[in-house]
Amino acid sequence: MLELREVDAFYGSIQALHGVSLTVSQGEIVTLIGANGAGKSTTLMAISGIVPVRRGEIVFEGQAITGKAPDGIVRLGICQVPEGRHIFPALSVAENLDMGAFLRRDSKAIAADREMCYSLFPILAERRHQPGGTLSGGEQQMLAISRALMARPRLLLLDEPSMGLAPLVTKQIFTIITTINREHHTTIFLVEQNANLALQVADRGYVLENGRIVMQDRAAALLGNPAIQQAYLGI
Ligand code: ATP
């Protein structure tokens, strides 16, 4: 479904990605793990068209998307939930959800999808008239994921969904990530510092170090790999 071929990305003269190659197949949850500053967010932003790719190619469903504008990439069915969530604080929960559907005109289906988000995250239904900025961190993460779902993505890019959240809320969000993948047939590319959790929900994983992929395997194999356990799982 998605393929990165030897992707290099820069911020000015600083090279953040060095020949990153990876694939995500339809129906999978694939995770990219790595330390702070390894280049995980940059990889997602390169896919979304926010960070320019200087060398290499990104192909989505057979079509090169390298150099495409971000809105064109959303139209193709890729939607990113950014790190730090970035919901619209002054807009209500319902209005935030509608913002996610800004490219759609099918109002009946939009209303049905809003209800689908409320059934995934019932707390959002309770808070539907409340300004997004008044939600807790976990609720804002739920809203950010839901807003992305309102675009009906075929590929959902999640950047650190566990960031700053209590373990119980994180667990709840990861359970729903699995539901979104299995029951809503959405392929997921998940960037996480919490490698343990990410590898528990993923089918496959890649390890990024200093902008380079240094390892890839089935998620279960990475969980059982002593080098990964020592470097990323605190075992
Ligand atoms: P984190 O988990 O801390 O977000 P990350 O793995 O997502 O880390 P990136 O945010 O992708 O890492 O950063 C990769 C490298 O690019 C880092 O060295 C970072 O300092 C650098 N970088 C990121 N954004 C910018 C920017 N806007 N300008 C310059 N350098 C940047």
Side-chain angles (χ1 to χ4, degrees), residues 137-196:
E139 291 160 359
Q140 289 190 21
Q141 183 60 264
M142 295 173 195
L143 181 56
I145 293 173
S146 298
R147 187 183 55 190
L149 290 178
M150 292 299 291
R152 286 215 172 162
R154 288 200 301 289
L155 175 64
L156 185 63
L157 308 176
L158 295 173
D159 196 349
E160 304 261 5
S162 79
M163 166 100 89
L165 302 184
L168 208 62
V169 181
T170 302
K171 202 162 171 256
Q172 191 188 354
I173 284 175
F174 272 68
T175 304
I176 289 169
I177 290 171
T178 311
T179 306
I180 292 167
N181 172 250
R182 296 210 183 123
E183 290 172 24
H184 297 274
H185 312 289
T186 309
T187 306
I188 292 175
F189 187 50
L190 165 69
V191 155
E192 254 300 337
Q193 263 197 67
N194 188 332
N196 197 1

Side-chain angles (χ1 to χ4, degrees), residues 11 14 16 35-42 83 160 193:
Y11 294 102
I14 300 166
N36 253 319
K40 304 182 298 298
S41 299
T42 305
E83 185 176 319
E160 304 261 5
Q193 263 197 67

